[in-house]
C-alpha cells in the first residue's frame, strides 16, 4: 500500500495590488452608503419638495407678469416639451421607468390631457393678473370642490373638522380679496384704479375657472387611473405628450404671432433670461413630480399631506419677497388664515384615514373561533 503523498499549496504573498483593490471596494461601499443615505433622507425630500413648488410658482410668475407676456399656450407647450424630453432622457439612462407609448391608452387618456391644458392655462392667466399670495390662497378653494366631488362620485365623506377648514379657506379668500379691493378703492376715480379693478376682476374670473377645471381634472384623472392602472411617471408622460399638439394648435390659432408681438414678448435685452426661465419652469415640473413621489416614499402620506399644507406659507411669502405684492394687515392675515386652513384640513384627512384603518377588522369572528 502506497504511502499518501502530502500536498502543499503555496499562496502568493500579499501585494500592494490586493491592498489597492480593497481600498477601491471600501470606497465604492462608502459611496453606495452615502447615496442610499441621501435617497432615504426625510429632511432632504421635504426640503426639495418645498423648493420645487416655490421655484415653479416664482418662475411662472416671472415669465407671465414680468414683461407683459401673452403667449401663454406657447409657454405651456415649451414646458410640456421640456418635461417629455427630460423624463425620456431619464428613462434612457434607466433612472426611471414608465410605459411605452400605446395608441389605445393614448385615446383613452386624451380627454384628461385636454382638461390638464384647460387647468394650466386658466392657472397661468390667473397668475398673470393676481399676486402669488392671493393666487395661493384662492387655490385652496379647489380642495372644497374636490372633496364634494369625491362625496358625489366616489362615496367619500366630509367630517366636521374638514368643514371647519373649508370655512377658514373661504374666510381667507374673502380677506385676500378685500385686501386687493381696498387698495383699488383707495385710488378710486383715477385711471390707475380703473385698470387695477379691471385686472382684479379678470384675475378672479380666471381663478374661479381654474378652481372648477382643477377639480374636474383631478376627479377625472383619479377615475381614469383606476381604469388604466397608471403609475406616476406614466401619468406624467401621457399628460405632457398628448397636451403638446393641443397647445400647439391653440397657440397658432388663438395667439398673436406677428413680428411686433414676438418682439414685445421677447425683448432683445431680456430674451435670453425669458427663454431660460421657460425651459427651467418645464424642468421644475419634473422636479415637483419626482420630489413629491420621493417625499411620500421616505416619509408617509400623512407627512406628505402636512407638508403640502405647510408649503402654502413659503409659496405665499415668496410673492411678497420676490415681487411687488402689497404687504398689508389684510394680506398677511389672509396668508395666515389660509395656512391654518390647509393645516386643519391636513389634520382632518389624517384623522379620517386613521379612523378608516381602525374600522377595518384584521380577522373575522369565525377565524377567531377556529
Amino acid at each position: 500500500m502506497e504511502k499518501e503523498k502530502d500536498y502543499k499549496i503555496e499562496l502568493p504573498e500579499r501585494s500592494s495590488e490586493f491592498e489597492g483593490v480593497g481600498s477601491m471596494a471600501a470606497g465604492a461601499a462608502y459611496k453606495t452608503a452615502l447615496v442610499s443615505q441621501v435617497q432615504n433622507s426625510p429632511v432632504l425630500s421635504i426640503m426639495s419638495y418645498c423648493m420645487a413648488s416655490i421655484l415653479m410658482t416664482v418662475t411662472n410668475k416671472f415669465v407671465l407678469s414680468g414683461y407683459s407676456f401673452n403667449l401663454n399656450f406657447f409657454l405651456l407647450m415649451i414646458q410640456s416639451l421640456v418635461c417629455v424630453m427630460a423624463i425620456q432622457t431619464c428613462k434612457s439612462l434607466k433612472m426611471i421607468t414608465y410605459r411605452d407609448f400605446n395608441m389605445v391608452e393614448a385615446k383613452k387618456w386624451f380627454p384628461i390631457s385636454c382638461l390638464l391644458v384647460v387647468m394650466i392655462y386658466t392657472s397661468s392667466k390667473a397668475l398673470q393678473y393676481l399676486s402669488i399670495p392671493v393666487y395661493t390662497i384662492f387655490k385652496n378653494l379647489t380642495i372644497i370642490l374636490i372633496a364634494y366631488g369625491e362625496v358625489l362620485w366616489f362615496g367619500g365623506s366630509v367630517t366636521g373638522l374638514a368643514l371647519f377648514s373649508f370655512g377658514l379657506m373661504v374666510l381667507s379668500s374673502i380677506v385676500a380679496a378685500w385686501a386687493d379691493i381696498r387698495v383699488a378703492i383707495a385710488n378710486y376715480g383715477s385711471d390707475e384704479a380703473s385698470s387695477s379693478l379691471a385686472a382684479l376682476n379678470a384675475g378672479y374670473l380666471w381663478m374661479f375657472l381654474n378652481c372648477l377645471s382643477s377639480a374636474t381634472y383631478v376627479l377625472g384623472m383619479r377615475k381614469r387611473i383606476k381604469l388604466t392602472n397608471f403609475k406616476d411617471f406614466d401619468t406624467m408622460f401621457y399628460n405632457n405628450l398628448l397636451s403638446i399638439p393641443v397647445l400647439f394648435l391653440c397657440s397658432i390659432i388663438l395667439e398673436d404671432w406677428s413680428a411686433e408681438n414676438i418682439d414685445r414678448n421677447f425683448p432683445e435685452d431680456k430674451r435670453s433670461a425669458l427663454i431660460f426661465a421657460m425651459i427651467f419652469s418645464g424642468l421644475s415640473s419634473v422636479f415637483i413630480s419626482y420630489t413629491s413621489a420621493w417625499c411620500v416614499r421616505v416619509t408617509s402620506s400623512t407627512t406628505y399631506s402636512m407638508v403640502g399644507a405647510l408649503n402654502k406659507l413659503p409659496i405665499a411669502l415668496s410673492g411678497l419677497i420676490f415681487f411687488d405684492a402689497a404687504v398689508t394687515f389684510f394680506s398677511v392675515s389672509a396668508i395666515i388664515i389660509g395656512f391654518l386652513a390647509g393645516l386643519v384640513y391636513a389634520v382632518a384627512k389624517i384623522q379620517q384615514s386613521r379612523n378608516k384603518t381602525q374600522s377595518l377588522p384584521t380577522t373575522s369572528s369565525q377565524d377567531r373561533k377556529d
Side-chain angles (χ1 to χ4, degrees):
M1 194 171 186
E2 291 184 11
K3 192 175 180 179
E4 292 184 4
K5 293 180 181 180
D6 293 332
Y7 291 93
K8 185 166 115 179
I9 299 174
E10 293 185 359
L11 295 173
E13 292 183 5
R14 187 180 181 90
S15 65
S16 59
E17 282 185 33
F18 289 100
E19 292 178 2
V21 171
S23 62
M24 286 174 63
Y30 174 75
K31 286 180 181 178
T32 304
L34 186 62
V35 170
S36 177
Q37 188 177 359
V38 170
Q39 289 178 341
N40 294 289
S41 170
V43 175
L44 279 177
S45 67
I46 290 169
M47 288 177 64
S48 298
Y49 172 65
C50 292
M51 187 61 66
S53 300
I54 294 170
L55 277 175
M56 184 70 176
T57 306
V58 171
T59 305
N60 280 343
K61 180 67 177 176
F62 169 78
V63 175
L64 292 167
S65 63
Y67 307 101
S68 302
F69 193 87
N70 58 26
L71 299 174
N72 296 63
F73 284 117
F74 176 70
L75 169 65
L76 300 178
M77 186 189 73
I78 294 297
Q79 288 177 345
S80 295
L81 192 62
V82 170
C83 186
V84 170
M85 291 173 65
I87 61 174
Q88 186 62 44
T89 302
C90 291
K91 184 181 180 181
S92 301
L93 297 172
K94 301 190 184 301
M95 295 170 64
I96 60 173
T97 58
Y98 55 84
R99 303 182 191 189
D100 294 326
F101 182 78
N102 181 285
M103 185 57 73
V104 176
E105 290 180 335
K107 287 179 180 178
K108 292 178 180 177
W109 196 264
F110 186 70
I112 305 299
S113 294
C114 291
L115 283 172
L116 176 66
V117 171
V118 175
M119 182 192 78
I120 298 177
Y121 179 72
T122 53
S123 172
S124 66
K125 293 296 289 185
L127 200 56
Q128 186 173 343
Y129 293 108
L130 300 176
S131 65
I132 290 178
V134 173
Y135 170 83
T136 306
I137 291 162
F138 271 85
K139 195 70 177 172
N140 274 342
L141 296 179
T142 307
I143 297 173
I144 302 175
L145 298 176
I146 293 172
Y148 280 101
E150 287 181 340
V151 171
L152 293 173
W153 295 341
F154 298 103
S157 60
V158 178
T159 63
L161 193 59
L163 279 174
F164 177 64
S165 73
F166 295 162
L168 287 175
M169 289 175 194
V170 173
L171 177 62
S172 68
S173 301
I174 292 171
V175 173
W178 174 246
D180 275 349
I181 294 167
R182 190 166 171 271
V183 172
I185 290 175
N187 300 317
Y188 184 74
S190 64
D191 293 336
E192 185 182 347
S194 300
S195 60
S196 178
L197 279 172
L200 286 175
N201 289 334
Y204 290 135
L205 176 62
W206 284 115
M207 194 74 244
F208 172 72
L209 293 174
N210 178 248
C211 289
L212 286 177
S213 59
S214 297
T216 307
Y217 166 71
V218 170
L219 294 168
M221 184 174 65
R222 180 180 170 185
K223 191 170 185 178
R224 181 55 62 187
I225 284 174
K226 284 187 173 183
L227 296 174
T228 58
N229 198 29
F230 270 17
K231 306 301 181 189
D232 289 341
F233 283 111
D234 299 324
T235 303
M236 191 174 178
F237 173 67
Y238 275 93
N239 268 342
N240 286 280
L241 183 65
L242 296 177
S243 65
I244 290 172
V246 178
L247 291 167
F248 176 75
L249 287 174
C250 289
S251 180
I252 294 297
I253 296 169
L254 301 174
E255 294 181 330
D256 182 6
W257 280 95
S258 64
E260 184 183 347
N261 192 53
I262 292 173
D263 288 337
R264 189 186 305 119
N265 280 274
F266 296 96
E268 194 172 346
D269 58 330
K270 305 292 183 184
R271 192 168 296 166
S272 299
L274 277 169
I275 292 172
F276 174 78
M278 291 168 72
I279 295 171
F280 187 76
S281 63
L283 293 173
S284 297
S285 64
V286 183
F287 192 33
I288 285 176
S289 297
Y290 176 76
T291 52
S292 60
W294 182 20
C295 188
V296 171
R297 179 177 61 82
V298 300
T299 57
S300 65
S301 56
T302 300
T303 304
Y304 177 71
S305 64
M306 292 294 286
V307 170
L310 296 170
N311 200 30
K312 300 287 184 190
L313 184 61
I315 291 176
L317 291 177
S318 68
L320 300 178
I321 295 168
F322 296 112
F323 297 95
D324 190 22
V327 181
T328 64
F329 171 77
F330 289 101
S331 63
V332 174
S333 298
I335 291 172
I336 294 172
I337 296 170
F339 169 72
L340 290 174
L343 196 61
V344 171
Y345 180 74
V347 172
K349 292 298 287 183
I350 291 166
Q351 288 184 355
Q352 192 174 11
S353 61
R354 194 174 293 164
N355 290 337
K356 281 183 181 178
T357 305
Q358 290 175 352
S359 65
L360 293 173
T362 54
T363 56
S364 64
S365 57
Q366 184 64 37
D367 292 335
R368 291 192 193 98
K369 288 177 185 177
D370 296 341

